Amino acid sequence: MNVSARCDYAVRAAVDLARQAPGGNPRTATEIAERERIPEKYLVHILLHLKRAGIVQSVRGAQGGYM
């Protein structure tokens, strides 16, 4: 079974956010991209789709990111 890069990146990003959840601090797309070795520009678009689907939440501001 072939899994698209977009699906692979989305799952990896969601798992990364779930692993970081106990701290409660939002994670930036840059942090996720570096840890998971995902192109940052592509990851931002994926995170927007995950946000619209209600899988992740975004926090605005200087200390913002995704949860």
Side-chain angles (χ1 to χ4, degrees):
M1 178 167 99
N2 291 333
V3 177
S4 69
R6 176 179 268 180
C7 287
D8 179 47
Y9 292 163
V11 169
R12 287 171 39 198
V15 169
D16 183 77
L17 286 170
R19 261 191 248 128
Q20 302 296 328
N25 296 327
R27 305 298 180 203
T28 65
T30 304
E31 291 172 338
I32 299 167
E34 287 175 0
R35 270 196 303 274
E36 297 298 324
R37 294 186 178 119
I38 300 171
E40 185 179 354
K41 283 188 174 187
Y42 197 44
L43 178 62
V44 170
H45 293 288
I46 291 169
L47 288 169
L48 288 174
H49 284 283
L50 292 174
K51 180 184 168 194
R52 285 188 208 125
I55 296 170
V56 301
Q57 295 178 341
S58 64
V59 178
R60 296 175 79 171
Q63 300 299 317
Y66 294 90
M67 299 171 48

